Amino acid sequence: MQRFFVKEDAINGDTVRLEGDDARHISFSLRMKRGDRISVCAPDGSLYTCRLTAFGEGYVEAAVEERTVCDTEPPYRVRLYQALPKGDKLETIVQKAVECGVYEIVPFESRNCIAKTGNNPEKKLERLNRIAAEAAKQCGRGIQPRVLPTRSFRQMLREAGEAALPLFCYEGEGTVPLGALLKGCEREIAVVVGSEGGFTPEEVEEARTAGLRLCGLGPRILRCETAPVFVLSCLSLSRELTPHEA
Amino acid sequence: MQRFFVKEDAINGDTVRLEGDDARHISFSLRMKRGDRISVCAPDGSLYTCRLTAFGEGYVEAAVEERTVCDTEPPYRVRLYQALPKGDKLETIVQKAVECGVYEIVPFESRNCIAKTGNNPEKKLERLNRIAAEAAKQCGRGIQPRVLPTRSFRQMLREAGEAALPLFCYEGEGTVPLGALLKGCEREIAVVVGSEGGFTPEEVEEARTAGLRLCGLGPRILRCETAPVFVLSCLSLSRELTPHEA
């Protein structure tokens, strides 16, 4: 069933109102008719099965038939802090990270980033959020993960440091293997991944001082677009896919 | 240090002889000189540190200074059986799978594949093997994973079924979660991943009958190019990155 993400105020009792792109998508691309069924995901994790009831100028209304809890969301929230990579790699990272269960994606600038935020950051951000939304629909997420505006390295450290488990992925010395760091059951997790050029020794030291956990991803050197998928997959194995004793 | 993969017969006592592309790469692209150092990986997992000693017509010779064992190879061998995806996705899959520790990659045709082997399969295979070789150098593998010629679905089942742990990734009913299947310590693992169109119910039944384990990758639906990275990352977490009690 086609899935749509709405804001809280779109749901009013047993009626859901879809506007803008969603309404156009239903009416013109999907050519759906009154009586057809859709899935609607609310920000609180509710999943509504609805039947289309009315088509108006720029909106569509649907009646709620059933309300369940969406069971495709991970039992943790990962904020991925990604140093700006070259070219359109950030788009690939956003798409794959959403599939693998990321909660939010926060790009940041570091010393060795070749890419910079550049002109028209609003337009770029809008495009990234559109990619996230598409990926969320396609893979069956219960929420629509957001991409947030680019942070400075310092800002990133401050925010990431507030997570219960702040992981700073690093291929150098002095790290703890990811597997050892995933033994707990923290709900709020930050994952910091560098760009092609990696981090400078000063940045690594700053991260350590800010309380982040230097985290090793194994014996091979992963590309900056592979590392986020790697970490999110590992998290999924350790918390979603492996039956643990209570 | 720049890394090269050689066949066994390239090593003769304390002398290594590099020819073809490797020799050209050293002489012309890297402009290395006598006395410069390179790493040479042999098929048996040995890692040689060598110093360049001679430049000839179409070859380069180097003297072995130290021999160690390469420690970037996983303690297991994964053969990834990948149903032919659309466009150039197979190239991305090969690159990422090599980074994540795959041993061999075997494309195969299934009912819902839109892509077919097509004309000039030898040329395509050569290109995929070049991508694998590049990725292996870049991420520091100790071997050069190979891409093998495309198999039929039946052929794939026969070969995959011989692995100690044959995983058939499937998003439908009747699967066991990946986490439960990775509890053992099998060395020879087959991972079968579908194309965009997935598998038909008949193919799933055939796989089950052939002794493959239907394996679930979690609550979200992964794209065909994400699934191999997901499984290989999970394997790495369960066997390389998590300290286990003996």
Side-chain angles (χ1 to χ4, degrees):
Chain A
M1 210 181 310
Q2 192 74 29
R3 180 167 289 214
F4 296 91
F5 297 94
V6 300
K7 295 194 177 140
E8 242 139 88
D9 61 7
I11 301 160
N12 196 342
D14 278 345
T15 306
V16 179
R17 189 183 168 98
L18 295 121
E19 301 181 339
D21 282 349
D22 286 342
R24 271 192 295 280
H25 191 54
I26 290 172
S27 306
F28 302 116
S29 313
L30 300 172
R31 296 167 185 236
M32 296 184 96
K33 289 184 290 291
R34 205 178 294 182
D36 285 345
R37 277 203 175 111
I38 59 171
S39 285
V40 172
C41 298
D44 67 352
S46 299
L47 178 68
Y48 298 92
T49 305
C50 307
R51 204 179 274 279
L52 296 172
T53 49
F55 288 75
E57 189 76 47
Y59 72 88
V60 169
E61 276 184 1
V64 174
E65 290 195 330
E66 196 191 2
R67 177 184 164 175
T68 52
V69 172
C70 179
D71 58 0
T72 60
E73 284 304 306
Y76 48 81
R77 287 182 174 182
V78 177
R79 230 191 198 202
L80 170 65
Y81 293 89
Q82 174 70 51
L84 287 174
K86 286 194 270 186
D88 54 8
K89 274 189 204 164
L90 190 53
E91 300 187 0
T92 311
I93 293 171
V94 166
Q95 188 190 63
K96 304 298 173 224
V98 167
E99 282 177 66
C100 294
V102 80
Y103 182 71
E104 279 175 335
I105 298 160
V106 188
F108 69 94
E109 288 185 349
S110 70
R111 187 64 64 93
N112 291 339
C113 282
I114 289 165
K116 296 286 167 196
T117 310
N119 299 326
N120 227 335
E122 294 82 12
K123 206 172 152 193
K124 225 174 241 175
L125 190 60
E126 208 185 295
R127 181 170 162 75
L128 290 169
N129 272 297
R130 226 167 26 236
I131 289 169
E134 272 314 306
K137 276 187 198 175
Q138 195 263 342
C139 73
R141 291 290 300 262
I143 62 143
Q144 191 170 309
R146 288 185 310 161
V147 185
L148 304 180
T150 303
R151 316 292 208 239
S152 69
F153 187 77
R154 289 272 163 84
Q155 239 176 324
M156 176 281 286
L157 283 190
R158 266 197 305 278
E159 293 181 21
E162 284 169 14
L165 181 61
L167 303 175
F168 187 88
C169 302
Y170 180 55
E171 76 280 10
E173 304 278 302
T175 62
V176 175
L178 179 62
L181 291 167
L182 296 184
K183 294 284 186 189
C185 56
E186 298 85 357
R187 261 187 59 80
E188 302 289 330
I189 301 164
V191 176
V192 182
V193 174
S195 67
E196 292 85 355
F199 295 111
T200 66
E202 293 75 30
E203 286 174 332
V204 175
E205 222 20 69
E206 273 191 70
R208 196 200 303 271
T209 309
L212 275 68
R213 311 289 306 267
L214 303 196
C215 166
L217 304 186
R220 294 169 297 280
I221 295 167
L222 301 180
R223 283 170 199 257
C224 66
E225 74 271 22
T226 312
V229 179
F230 185 92
V231 178
L232 289 163
S233 304
C234 290
L235 257 164
S236 176
L237 182 77
S238 76
R239 309 265 175 94
E240 291 183 288
L241 280 168
T242 305
H244 285 289
E245 292 82 50
Chain B
M1 208 180 312
Q2 193 73 30
R3 181 168 287 217
F4 296 90
F5 297 93
V6 299
K7 295 196 176 137
E8 241 139 271
D9 60 8
I11 301 161
N12 196 341
D14 277 345
T15 305
V16 179
R17 188 183 169 99
L18 297 120
E19 300 181 341
D21 282 348
D22 286 341
R24 272 192 295 280
H25 191 53
I26 289 172
S27 307
F28 302 116
S29 313
L30 301 171
R31 293 167 188 238
M32 295 184 97
K33 287 184 292 290
R34 204 179 294 183
D36 286 344
R37 277 202 176 112
I38 59 170
S39 286
V40 172
C41 298
D44 67 353
S46 301
L47 178 67
Y48 298 91
T49 306
C50 306
R51 203 178 273 279
L52 296 173
T53 49
F55 289 75
E57 190 75 47
Y59 73 90
V60 169
E61 276 184 0
V64 174
E65 289 194 331
E66 198 191 358
R67 178 185 164 173
T68 52
V69 172
C70 179
D71 58 0
T72 60
E73 285 304 306
Y76 47 81
R77 287 183 173 181
V78 177
R79 232 194 196 199
L80 169 64
Y81 293 88
Q82 173 69 52
L84 287 174
K86 285 194 270 187
D88 53 8
K89 274 189 204 163
L90 190 53
E91 300 187 0
T92 311
I93 292 171
V94 166
Q95 188 189 64
K96 304 301 173 223
V98 168
E99 282 177 66
C100 294
V102 80
Y103 183 69
E104 280 176 334
I105 298 160
V106 188
F108 69 94
E109 288 184 349
S110 71
R111 187 63 63 95
N112 290 339
C113 282
I114 290 166
K116 295 285 168 199
T117 310
N119 298 329
N120 225 334
E122 293 82 12
K123 207 175 152 188
K124 225 176 241 174
L125 190 60
E126 207 185 296
R127 182 171 160 74
L128 290 169
N129 272 298
R130 226 167 24 236
I131 289 169
E134 271 315 305
K137 277 187 197 176
Q138 195 262 344
C139 73
R141 291 290 300 264
I143 61 141
Q144 190 170 310
R146 287 186 309 162
V147 186
L148 304 181
T150 302
R151 313 296 207 237
S152 70
F153 186 77
R154 289 272 164 85
Q155 238 176 326
M156 177 281 287
L157 284 188
R158 265 197 306 276
E159 293 181 20
E162 283 170 13
L165 181 61
L167 302 174
F168 187 88
C169 302
Y170 180 54
E171 76 279 11
E173 305 277 301
T175 62
V176 175
L178 179 62
L181 292 168
L182 297 185
K183 295 283 187 191
C185 55
E186 297 85 357
R187 261 186 60 80
E188 302 289 329
I189 301 164
V191 176
V192 181
V193 173
S195 67
E196 292 86 355
F199 295 110
T200 65
E202 293 74 29
E203 286 174 332
V204 175
E205 221 20 69
E206 272 190 71
R208 196 198 305 269
T209 309
L212 275 68
R213 311 288 305 267
L214 302 197
C215 166
L217 304 185
R220 295 169 296 281
I221 295 168
L222 301 180
R223 283 171 199 257
C224 66
E225 74 270 24
T226 312
V229 179
F230 185 92
V231 177
L232 288 163
S233 304
C234 290
L235 256 165
S236 176
L237 181 78
S238 77
R239 307 267 175 93
E240 291 184 288
L241 281 168
T242 306
H244 286 289
E245 292 82 51

